[in-house]
Amino acid sequence: ARAALRLLAELLSVEPENFEAAFQAAILSLRENRTLGAIAYARRCLARAPGFARAADFLATCLETTQEGGDRSRGDDAHRARVRVGTESVSTESPAPSESEAELALAMAVMSNPESPDAWTAFARHLARRGLASDAVAALRDALAGGPEGKWLRPRSDAALLTTLGFLLHLRGHVAEPASLYASAAAQGGGMVTATLAARVA
């Protein structure tokens, strides 16, 4: 991993716009227990490709595991970004620096690539982990609705997104809608996780 990181650093010095190399360097840095280095590479990746959902999810996960990674100057707009993305219920809680930057990175991924089911699902998972279940549900409902003009089609048939929404609704005490969402997810290839959650609802 260390040799690979050296090679990636050399590559990035020649091709600083290579966001995929920055993402690989972030993954390898975390594998080497260099969390702050992983955060730095993930930020570099997202600076070049703000719609890269996997990188935004990775950065959010890293920021959630360290209090040192948060940067208040990067994350002060996170609350406003959540307002723009979600429509049902928005928390007035002020996020911590790490949470704020993580949320902003995921919100930017959603806004840059609203057709990406992975971006919506990662954004909702982050909100749910912070205890903002209503905001998470609202975000996933926005994705399923396809936006104001119904143009986003891929999120509607994504098994992971349907399963995540069903799980959040089941946690809130709903039964019929989660069952329907799990059935739709299973039809889209949801696999064992979807089947297990559907069995719990039943």
Side-chain angles (χ1 to χ4, degrees), residues 2-13:
R2 292 179 183 178
L5 277 169
R6 285 196 297 271
L7 290 172
L8 287 167
E10 292 176 10
L11 174 59
L12 287 168
S13 68

Side-chain angles (χ1 to χ4, degrees), residues 66-115:
T66 176
Q67 295 182 354
E68 300 178 38
D71 184 340
R72 177 69 75 183
S73 65
R74 293 173 181 268
D76 281 340
D77 291 334
H79 184 69
R80 184 163 64 251
R82 184 163 73 250
V83 172
R84 294 210 306 265
V85 174
T87 57
E88 180 182 291
S89 172
V90 179
S91 171
T92 57
E93 175 191 352
S94 296
S98 290
E99 294 170 338
S100 183
E101 185 180 355
E103 184 176 327
L104 183 61
L106 289 163
M108 288 298 297
V110 166
M111 289 184 283
S112 300
N113 189 10
E115 276 277 357

Side-chain angles (χ1 to χ4, degrees), residues 27-99:
I27 293 174
L28 288 173
S29 295
L30 187 62
R31 189 175 298 171
E32 290 290 294
N33 294 318
R34 302 177 184 175
T35 305
L36 296 182
I39 290 171
Y41 276 120
R43 285 173 175 162
R44 185 170 181 176
C45 172
L46 290 169
R48 298 290 181 178
F52 192 176
R54 288 179 61 202
D57 193 18
F58 179 87
L59 175 60
T61 301
C62 288
L63 289 171
E64 289 169 1
T65 62
T66 176
Q67 295 182 354
E68 300 178 38
D71 184 340
R72 177 69 75 183
S73 65
R74 293 173 181 268
D76 281 340
D77 291 334
H79 184 69
R80 184 163 64 251
R82 184 163 73 250
V83 172
R84 294 210 306 265
V85 174
T87 57
E88 180 182 291
S89 172
V90 179
S91 171
T92 57
E93 175 191 352
S94 296
S98 290
E99 294 170 338

Side-chain angles (χ1 to χ4, degrees), residues 113-121 139-140 142-147 151-162 188:
N113 189 10
E115 276 277 357
S116 169
D118 291 343
W120 285 102
T121 304
L140 293 177
D142 283 350
L144 289 180
K151 291 182 177 180
W152 312 330
L153 301 179
R154 287 175 54 205
R156 300 179 186 180
S157 59
D158 182 76
L161 190 149
L162 294 167
Q188 300 297 329

